[in-house]
Amino acid sequence: MKGLLLKDFYLMAGYCKSFLLVSAVFIGLFVVEPSNFFFLLMLCILLGMLPTTLLSYDEREHWNVYSQVFPITRAQHVSVKYLIGLLCGVLVALVVAAICLIRFGAEAMFPLLGISLSCSLIPAALILPLAFRFGTEKARYSYFIFMGIMAFGGAFLMSEGGPKQGDPLLPMNWIFPILCAGGAALYGLSWLLSIRIYQRQEL
């Protein structure tokens, strides 16, 4: 498992520099305008799609076939992508929490911590099973559908009012614990489903 993680980290360092650059831009924009949920949602969705991007590189290089000569189980092959997605989600959540703690205080930090973690995990949870079953190219269609849903959801949240200076509490706070718990549960179920799909798949 450590070798698989190291392989994907090298892959990110070599091919995913644009992800890091765009992420840095969104972080900067969120620092300047933290009341705008669009920058937060785009940052979360972008890094949430990183596991699928890494899987597409594996497909292009036929790693799924080549890896059969190594003592690697299919469950490990799937799990490493979910672990990277989880690490990205935690990283985004910590960055968002630090920004909110500085700008708004602890009361705004916890709701945005939950929503940022959920919005990072949910894209991978929805798309990775499809990517393992049908391939990343076909799974991209579901990505565009999800982007539309998230854009609508972000517009709805912003219409309710984002956090403002001197008003650190987010509206509709009851949504965020539910969203966080639901995102974590969905991610876990997706993980198990992808393992089951990939173990039954003929390479």
Side-chain angles (χ1 to χ4, degrees):
M1 182 67 76
K2 290 181 181 179
L4 289 173
L5 283 171
L6 188 61
K7 174 193 74 72
D8 278 350
F9 284 138
Y10 282 138
L11 199 61
M12 284 189 286
Y15 294 100
C16 299
K17 294 178 182 178
S18 59
F19 272 80
L20 300 177
L21 178 61
V22 176
S23 298
V25 171
F26 280 124
I27 289 173
L29 292 172
F30 187 63
V31 170
V32 174
E33 191 61 39
S35 62
N36 193 331
F37 272 68
F38 174 78
F39 302 130
L40 171 61
L41 290 174
M42 290 306 299
L43 174 64
C44 295
I45 293 172
L46 178 68
L47 291 183
M49 292 306 302
L50 187 57
T52 307
T53 301
L54 293 173
L55 184 60
S56 70
Y57 285 123
D58 284 349
E59 288 182 357
R60 189 183 68 180
E61 302 298 333
H62 303 289
W63 169 253
N64 56 339
V65 177
Y66 177 68
S67 64
Q68 300 301 305
V69 303
F70 297 107
I72 300 170
T73 66
R74 295 195 178 191
Q76 289 174 329
H77 182 83
V78 171
S79 294
V80 71
K81 298 299 185 287
Y82 279 87
L83 286 174
I84 289 175
L86 186 60
L87 289 173
C88 288
V90 170
L91 179 61
V92 171
L94 291 176
V95 170
V96 170
I99 295 171
C100 290
L101 183 61
I102 294 171
R103 296 295 298 270
F104 302 117
E107 292 180 336
M109 179 184 71
F110 292 106
L112 282 177
L113 184 70
I115 194 173
S116 60
L117 182 59
S118 300
C119 290
S120 298
L121 297 181
I122 290 174
L126 295 176
I127 296 173
L128 276 173
L130 298 175
F132 280 109
R133 176 63 181 87
F134 301 107
T136 54
E137 287 300 322
K138 292 182 179 179
R140 291 184 192 276
Y141 294 109
S142 60
Y143 168 71
F144 293 118
I145 294 174
F146 179 78
M147 285 287 289
I149 294 173
M150 289 301 297
F152 177 80
F156 174 75
L157 287 174
M158 285 187 286
S159 69
E160 295 292 329
K164 303 295 190 298
Q165 295 286 353
D167 183 22
L169 287 175
L170 285 172
M172 300 160 48
N173 280 345
W174 59 272
I175 284 182
F176 301 112
I178 296 175
L179 183 62
C180 190
L186 181 63
Y187 198 75
L189 291 173
S190 173
W191 194 330
L192 295 175
L193 178 61
S194 292
I195 290 175
R196 186 177 182 86
I197 289 172
Y198 197 60
Q199 285 177 335
R200 293 185 171 187
Q201 192 172 16
E202 294 184 6
L203 300 180

